[in-house]
Amino acid sequence: MIDLQALAKDGGRVYRTVPVESLGRLVESLLEPVGTVTFEFQGERDDEGKLYVDLQIQGDLVLQCQRCLEAMVWPCNVQNRLLLLRSGEELPENELENDAVDALEVEPLTDLLALVEDEVLLALPLVPRHENCEPPVKAGVDDEISPFAVLRQLRGKV
């Protein structure tokens, strides 16, 4: 737990490496909960007094390829700039169309691991696949009869 607004005001930095298995919600989306995730929060206050945190997350996650059903290593690399807002504070008008920055409403103390986990979950591919792989083949079945083969035969008789 950390005060992100104080981190941003001071231009502070937090750098940690955590085991993947410590991110419970993320583990549910993985094939194997192995390895580590490294994250860095770098605080900043701009000339207008707005508070930002630049977030970087890196790690190799083991997902299941949805084509061949084998394990695949997915290189997670998240970079995000967060505008920190107090609870109930409105997003400034000039930030509404800025796609380079996401707004984050923060409490006095923020759970960094939960925030990291949220960002990684949002970055996961919807359908993880190897670039080149084949779908699994049924063992022991050479030529499977198509259910439409009978229809094809009937069509020829008419």
Side-chain angles (χ1 to χ4, degrees):
M1 301 293 276
I2 190 168
D3 184 347
L4 281 180
Q5 289 186 327
L7 182 82
K9 285 177 188 173
D10 298 338
R13 177 179 175 259
V14 174
Y15 181 87
R16 299 277 189 279
T17 298
V18 296
V20 170
E21 62 191 20
S22 68
L23 303 171
R25 291 179 296 140
L26 176 61
V27 166
E28 295 173 11
S29 300
L30 302 177
L31 182 63
E32 299 173 20
V34 296
T36 60
V37 171
T38 301
F39 62 88
E40 177 182 1
F41 288 85
Q42 177 66 52
E44 176 187 333
R45 181 195 305 227
D46 71 3
D47 296 336
E48 299 173 11
K50 294 179 189 167
L51 302 176
Y52 294 91
V53 171
D54 291 316
L55 171 61
Q56 288 189 318
I57 306 169
Q58 293 180 321
D60 289 332
L61 303 175
V62 181
L63 304 175
Q64 184 176 34
C65 173
Q66 296 301 299
R67 183 178 292 149
C68 69
L69 303 177
E70 296 295 322
M72 65 172 274
V73 177
W74 178 72
C76 175
N77 187 9
V78 175
Q79 295 184 6
N80 203 355
R81 184 166 176 84
L82 303 171
L83 170 63
L84 304 180
L85 302 174
R86 289 185 202 95
S87 184
E89 183 180 358
E90 293 289 323
L91 183 63
E93 285 292 324
N94 59 346
E95 295 292 338
L96 284 174
E97 295 187 23
N98 185 356
D99 290 336
V101 176
D102 289 334
L104 178 66
E105 191 174 288
V106 292
E107 299 296 324
L109 292 178
T110 302
D111 183 351
L112 291 185
L113 284 182
L115 182 55
V116 166
E117 194 169 23
D118 290 343
E119 292 290 328
V120 173
L121 285 168
L122 288 170
L124 286 177
L126 291 176
V127 181
R129 297 190 316 213
H130 292 108
E131 285 189 31
N132 298 311
C133 67
E134 296 295 322
V137 179
K138 292 182 182 179
V141 177
D142 291 336
D143 295 320
E144 188 172 310
I145 298 174
S146 167
F148 298 104
V150 174
L151 292 175
R152 207 172 305 126
Q153 290 172 350
L154 291 174
R155 189 175 135 195
K157 293 180 182 180
V158 177

